[in-house]
C-alpha cells in the first residue's frame, strides 16, 4: 500500500471556533441545509459523534457519488482539530483503500482563521495518486468552506 499526502489551506474572516462548530460539530445538520442540491442527508450510523463513530453522507439523486462513509478518528474541540477517514464510498473506487483527513483551524490576527487541511490517500498496490486527480475534491472542500463561511457572515449570531 502506498500513501500520497496533499495539503491545502483556506483563509476565512470567520472566527475559528464558529467555523469548527459549523464544519465539524454541527455538519450533520448544517450541510444538508446549506447544500441541498448536493447533500441529501448525513446520518450517524455508529457511535455518538466522538472518535470511533461512523457517519454516512448520502448525496442527492443524479450526483456522481451515491454516498460516502467516514470514521471519526479525533474531534478536539479545544484545539479545533478533527481527523476522520473515508472508509467506504464511490470516490475510493478500485485504487484507494481509504482517505485520511485532518482539518485544523487556527486563529489569525484579523479575527478570522486559517483552515489547514491534509489528505492522505492510502492506495491499493503501488498506485500513486497525482495532484491533478484530487483537484476536484480539493475544490469541493474549499467550496463547502466558502458556503459555510457566507452563511456564518450573514448570520453572526449562529455559533457565536
Amino acid at each position: 500500500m502506498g500513501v500520497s499526502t496533499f495539503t491545502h489551506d483556506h483563509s476565512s474572516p470567520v472566527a475559528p471556533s464558529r467555523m469548527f462548530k459549523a464544519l465539524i460539530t454541527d455538519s450533520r445538520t448544517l450541510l444538508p441545509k446549506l447544500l441541498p442540491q448536493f447533500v441529501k442527508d448525513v446520518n450517524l450510523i455508529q457511535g455518538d459523534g466522538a472518535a470511533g463513530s461512523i457517519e454516512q453522507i448520502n448525496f442527492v439523486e443524479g450526483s456522481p457519488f451515491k454516498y460516502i462513509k467516514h470514521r471519526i478518528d479525533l474531534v478536539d474541540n479545544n484545539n479545533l482539530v478533527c481527523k476522520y477517514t473515508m472508509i467506504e464510498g464511490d470516490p475510493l473506487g478500485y485504487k484507494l483503500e481509504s482517505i485520511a483527513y485532518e482539518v485544523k483551524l487556527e486563529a489569525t490576527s484579523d479575527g478570522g482563521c486559517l483552515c489547514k487541511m491534509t489528505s492522505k490517500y492510502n492506495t491499493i498496490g503501488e498506485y500513486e495518486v497525482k495532484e491533478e486527480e484530487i483537484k476536484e475534491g480539493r475544490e469541493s472542500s474549499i467550496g463547502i468552506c466558502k458556503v459555510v463561511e457566507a452563511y456564518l457572515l450573514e448570520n453572526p449570531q449562529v455559533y457565536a
Side-chain angles (χ1 to χ4, degrees):
M1 172 175 74
V3 177
S4 298
T5 302
F6 301 94
T7 60
H8 64 280
D9 297 344
H10 172 71
S11 295
S12 173
V14 177
S17 61
R18 291 183 69 216
M19 283 293 281
F20 191 81
K21 287 176 187 169
L23 287 171
I24 306 300
T25 309
D26 198 31
S27 65
R28 284 185 287 283
T29 303
L30 194 61
L31 292 183
K33 175 182 171 180
L34 297 181
L35 299 163
Q37 69 275 33
F38 302 113
V39 179
K40 180 179 176 183
D41 54 33
V42 182
N43 299 306
L44 200 55
I45 58 174
Q46 179 181 313
D48 60 2
S53 298
I54 296 177
E55 67 180 13
Q56 180 170 316
I57 301 170
N58 296 304
F59 298 100
V60 297
E61 198 168 313
S63 295
F65 306 123
K66 183 177 178 182
Y67 75 96
I68 55 175
K69 284 185 184 176
H70 288 150
R71 180 188 65 234
I72 310 300
D73 300 313
L74 170 78
V75 178
D76 184 338
N77 292 303
N78 295 324
N79 293 306
L80 307 179
V81 176
C82 178
K83 295 181 182 183
Y84 61 97
T85 303
M86 184 187 302
I87 56 170
E88 190 178 311
D90 301 319
L92 296 177
Y94 300 103
K95 297 177 180 175
L96 298 173
E97 183 177 299
S98 64
I99 307 170
Y101 299 95
E102 179 176 344
V103 178
K104 181 175 177 129
L105 296 166
E106 297 178 351
T108 55
S109 60
D110 62 1
C113 68
L114 182 62
C115 181
K116 295 183 171 190
M117 295 173 261
T118 302
S119 307
K120 291 184 180 179
Y121 292 76
N122 299 299
T123 62
I124 296 171
E126 297 302 313
Y127 179 73
E128 187 176 326
V129 177
K130 307 237 182 314
E131 184 131 15
E132 310 85 62
E133 296 175 275
I134 64 144
K135 184 179 178 185
E136 188 176 331
R138 177 176 42 230
E139 289 174 359
S140 175
S141 302
I142 291 171
I144 291 168
C145 286
K146 288 181 179 182
V147 167
V148 168
E149 176 183 292
Y151 172 75
L152 294 175
L153 289 172
E154 290 172 13
N155 299 280
Q157 75 285 359
V158 176
Y159 308 122

